[in-house]
Amino acid sequence: AKHYAKTICKGKSFEVDEPTTAKFELPSDGEITGLKYTRALDYMAQRFMHLTTDKFLQLMIDYDIRFTKFEYKDAMLAGRIVFPNYYHGKAVSWQARDYLNIHKAKYITAPKDGEIIFHKNFLWGIDKVPYDKVIVCEGVMDALTVGYGAVHTHGVKFSKAQVDELASFSEVYICYDSDKAGADGAD
């Protein structure tokens, strides 16, 4: 059954233009920290070597990072680290990164008809911003590296809904990648 999602941004409410499906499935073979060793966990640990083991594992738990095995039921989703997109405490979408280097597309997002709220209509990580200031990153790995207080816009192009959400903060720091696309997007 199709419905129109209602999104609430820091006290403001607006209707999402795109119809979404009520059925949502998060691809997962489990929490990334659920096993003593997985290639997915090792991949992420390499990226976050600046953190202690305890802080790294807590970050993975807090953001509910998951993974799929090489033998996952959907070949396009096999061998991926899954980053759920939470909005007001509810998983509404996802994005995933290839950690086995077996896919042409390094990152993928949930298909639009498989999201409760379209991922460009909110900021990833918004539920984990404890301050009245926010750091805006281009992608999920950058936002995780910055940690609590950082969000990302799923690329350098952003939506009106994302800008509306950012307008509720007293200070917004744009930290896109240091390439031409990042500089143009930040401008």
Side-chain angles (χ1 to χ4, degrees), residues 6-14 86-89 117 121-136 148-151 160-172:
K6 187 167 195 147
T7 304
I8 301 181
C9 293
K10 298 271 183 186
K12 299 174 191 169
S13 176
F14 64 93
Y86 279 90
Y87 196 71
H88 294 289
I117 300 174
N121 280 337
F122 64 96
L123 300 163
W124 184 91
I126 194 69
D127 284 6
K128 301 291 182 195
V129 178
Y131 318 109
D132 193 31
K133 301 172 185 172
V134 67
I135 297 171
V136 182
Y148 313 99
V151 297
K160 181 180 181 323
Q162 290 171 327
V163 172
D164 288 346
E165 184 94 38
L166 291 171
S168 66
F169 289 94
S170 66
E171 294 179 45
V172 176

Side-chain angles (χ1 to χ4, degrees), residues 29-141:
D29 278 325
E31 295 174 2
I32 200 167
T33 58
L35 302 173
K36 291 186 191 258
Y37 173 80
T38 68
R39 287 176 69 184
L41 184 62
D42 187 49
Y43 178 90
M44 291 297 285
Q46 292 299 312
R47 175 72 189 239
F48 294 92
M49 289 174 51
H50 63 282
L51 297 176
T52 65
T53 300
D54 288 344
K55 286 185 178 183
F56 163 70
L57 292 174
Q58 192 60 55
L59 186 72
M60 297 298 104
I61 291 166
D62 287 350
Y63 283 92
D64 194 25
I65 310 301
R66 300 174 167 273
F67 76 102
T68 60
K69 296 177 185 172
F70 178 76
E71 308 84 17
Y72 193 70
K73 61 186 176 186
D74 181 338
M76 189 174 96
L77 296 170
R80 294 194 182 267
I81 296 167
V82 179
F83 305 94
N85 293 335
Y86 279 90
Y87 196 71
H88 294 289
K90 181 178 180 179
V92 296
S93 183
W94 55 264
Q95 59 192 305
R97 193 212 191 282
D98 178 2
Y99 67 90
L100 296 175
N101 295 318
I102 58 175
H103 300 285
K104 284 184 180 180
K106 185 168 37 172
Y107 284 93
I108 60 172
T109 57
K112 203 168 184 181
D113 65 352
E115 298 176 296
I116 295 172
I117 300 174
F118 179 49
H119 61 273
K120 292 295 282 186
N121 280 337
F122 64 96
L123 300 163
W124 184 91
I126 194 69
D127 284 6
K128 301 291 182 195
V129 178
Y131 318 109
D132 193 31
K133 301 172 185 172
V134 67
I135 297 171
V136 182
C137 300
E138 198 172 310
V140 66
M141 291 297 229

Side-chain angles (χ1 to χ4, degrees), residues 136-140 142 151-156 175-179 181-182:
V136 182
C137 300
E138 198 172 310
V140 66
D142 294 331
V151 297
H152 84 83
T153 54
H154 292 90
V156 296
C175 295
Y176 284 166
D177 294 352
S178 61
D179 55 17

